[in-house]
Every structure is written in structure tokens, then in C-alpha cells.
């Protein structure tokens, strides 16, 4: 693990994203590796804490929210064959959602985990992403 890597960083996927990733045969291991690449600048920074990362041998695109850099959340997945990109309106909504996730406390995140709204896929304290 990178010694400069913030140990409190946690990586999640939404329940919706989990279903879409499972259908696309994208594993949590692949998602953790992709997050590391995003942190190294190997993704499209769409601004406002929103990133677009290619997955699954370039067949899918993921939208990742990381305002503040502490909580990274896989929020949306789409196949390249189905659409080229997200719309400007969708991007604006993802920016709002990124800001919301960026303000969440560990207690709120814990509740979302308990409710199944979020699933934690890797944690810098538990794994070497």
C-alpha cells in the first residue's frame, strides 16, 4: 500500500451498483484495484468529487463519488455499448450526491451499511488496496 495513502479511506458500492456489477461480472477485487487507479489519477475527473472509471476490459463505465476523499462510493454503472456518457443533468445530480457523501459521519455510513443501502468492498485499514 502507498505510504501516503490515507488509512481512513473506505470504499463502498450502492445496493443498485452491487446488482449491476454482479450482472456485469465485475468483482469487488476489480473494484478495489480500480479505486487505487482512480486515486493515482487514472480516471476521468468530472469535477465536484465525481469520477468516471473504465471497468471490465473497457466494456463498462462506473461513476464514483469521492468528495473529500474519505468515502469513495461506486454509484452508477453503464455499458459502453448502451450509452456514451452521462448527461449534464445527471452529472449535476452526482455532484450533489458526492457532496452529501463527503459530509457523512461514520455513524450515518454505519446505518447505511446496516440497512443495506451501502456495501463496503474494501477498507484501507483492513486490506491493501
Amino acid at each position: 500500500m502507498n505510504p501516503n495513502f490515507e488509512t481512513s479511506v473506505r470504499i463502498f458500492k450502492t445496493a443498485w451498483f452491487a446488482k449491476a456489477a454482479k450482472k456485469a461480472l465485475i468483482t469487488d477485487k476489480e473494484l478495489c484495484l480500480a479505486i487505487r487507479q482512480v486515486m493515482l489519477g487514472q480516471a476521468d475527473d468530472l469535477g465536484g468529487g465525481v469520477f468516471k472509471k473504465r471497468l471490465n476490459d473497457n466494456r463498462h463505465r462506473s461513476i464514483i463519488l469521492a468528495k473529500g476523499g474519505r468515502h469513495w462510493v461506486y454509484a452508477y454503472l453503464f455499458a459502453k455499448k448502451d450509452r456514451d456518457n452521462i448527461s449534464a443533468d445527471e452529472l449535476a445530480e452526482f455532484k450533489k450526491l458526492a457532496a452529501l457523501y463527503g459530509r457523512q459521519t461514520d455513524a450515518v455510513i454505519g446505518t447505511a451499511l446496516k440497512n443495506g443501502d451501502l456495501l463496503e468492498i474494501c477498507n484501507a485499514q483492513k486490506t491493501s488496496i
Side-chain angles (χ1 to χ4, degrees):
M1 180 163 46
N2 179 346
N4 297 326
F5 185 65
E6 179 67 40
T7 58
S8 65
V9 169
R10 297 173 71 188
I11 294 54
F12 306 94
K13 59 186 174 182
T14 64
W16 182 91
F17 186 96
K19 289 177 191 172
K22 183 177 181 179
K23 184 176 178 183
L25 304 176
I26 299 170
T27 66
D28 286 354
K29 184 176 179 180
E30 291 174 86
L31 296 175
C32 289
L33 176 61
I35 284 290
R36 183 172 180 84
Q37 293 168 345
V38 173
M39 290 176 180
L40 294 171
Q42 299 169 352
D44 296 323
D45 185 345
L46 304 179
V50 180
F51 299 87
K52 181 173 72 171
K53 177 68 177 153
R54 293 177 175 100
L55 299 171
N56 202 12
D57 293 325
N58 204 23
R59 290 187 302 252
H60 290 86
R61 305 289 187 266
S62 62
I63 299 298
I64 303 163
L65 311 176
K67 186 82 172 178
R70 204 178 105 189
H71 299 132
W72 293 73
V73 180
Y74 280 98
Y76 186 61
L77 182 71
F78 60 96
K80 181 181 173 185
K81 68 180 180 67
D82 294 338
R83 64 188 298 189
D84 292 330
N85 211 341
I86 59 173
S87 70
D89 288 343
E90 288 171 314
L91 178 57
E93 292 303 314
F94 281 127
K95 286 179 179 181
K96 290 177 189 174
L97 194 53
L100 178 67
Y101 278 123
R103 292 190 302 269
Q104 297 308 309
T105 64
D106 286 336
V108 171
I109 294 292
T111 299
L113 288 167
K114 268 187 195 174
N115 293 341
D117 298 327
L118 288 178
L119 299 137
E120 190 160 16
I121 56 174
C122 39
N123 179 326
Q125 294 175 337
K126 298 176 186 171
T127 61
S128 82
I129 59 173

